Amino acid sequence: MAASMNKILDAVKKSRFLRFGVPMLVIVVGGSFGLKEFRTLRYEIIDRRKTVDLETDEKLNEYKKKDKITIEGEYKKLQNEDIDTWHNIRGPRPWEDSKEFQAMQRENTEKLLIKRDDE
């Protein structure tokens, strides 16, 4: 028995295919089967997450119907707004004090509004 084991070990040590090829084939073929099992498990979990009870599904559909935004609706909102009377307001620079700058902007805006009302 020991002699036959020694012959097998000697053959494995001498043969490159048995040392490198067989383990490589086992890893490739076994890996494909392993990945198949992980993929099926993944999709089974995703399918379980998608199943929702009917009450929750109805509530979600109600919210989706209420909050649906269309291009036509947004266009109508833009038609109602006055887009010709606006002015650009510059934000404060990093070295400027923001509160002081905002107060100055408010004063300038009020002056502009007063001038427009006078005209």
Side-chain angles (χ1 to χ4, degrees):
M1 176 96 169
S4 63
M5 284 298 283
N6 286 337
K7 287 182 182 180
I8 293 172
L9 289 175
D10 288 339
V12 169
K13 288 180 183 177
K14 289 179 184 176
S15 173
R16 290 181 57 110
F17 176 74
L18 292 176
R19 278 180 49 201
F20 301 112
V22 171
M24 180 68 174
L25 288 174
V26 169
I27 289 172
V28 170
V29 174
S32 68
F33 285 111
L35 286 175
K36 178 182 174 255
E37 293 301 318
F38 282 120
R39 277 185 300 185
T40 55
L41 179 66
R42 174 183 173 207
Y43 292 124
E44 287 174 6
I45 290 172
I46 290 174
D47 289 341
R48 286 185 197 153
R49 286 184 189 168
K50 286 184 180 179
T51 56
V52 180
D53 59 332
L54 295 175
E55 295 175 10
T56 309
D57 194 31
E58 290 175 4
K59 289 179 184 177
L60 288 174
N61 286 336
E62 289 176 14
Y63 289 125
K64 286 180 183 177
K65 290 177 185 175
K66 290 179 184 176
D67 296 333
K68 192 171 184 181
I69 298 173
T70 61
I71 295 175
E72 291 82 11
E74 293 297 314
Y75 180 70
K76 288 178 184 176
K77 285 182 190 176
L78 281 175
Q79 282 181 332
N80 294 335
E81 292 183 11
D82 185 23
I83 58 173
D84 293 329
T85 57
W86 65 276
H87 59 281
N88 193 14
I89 300 175
R90 180 179 73 82
R93 302 289 190 248
W95 57 85
E96 296 173 340
D97 182 27
S98 65
K99 294 187 188 244
E100 181 181 319
F101 185 78
Q102 289 172 358
M104 188 172 58
Q105 284 291 100
R106 286 189 192 108
E107 290 174 11
N108 290 339
T109 305
E110 289 173 4
K111 288 178 185 176
L112 284 173
L113 291 175
I114 292 171
K115 284 183 183 178
R116 285 185 187 166
D117 290 339
D118 292 340
E119 293 175 356

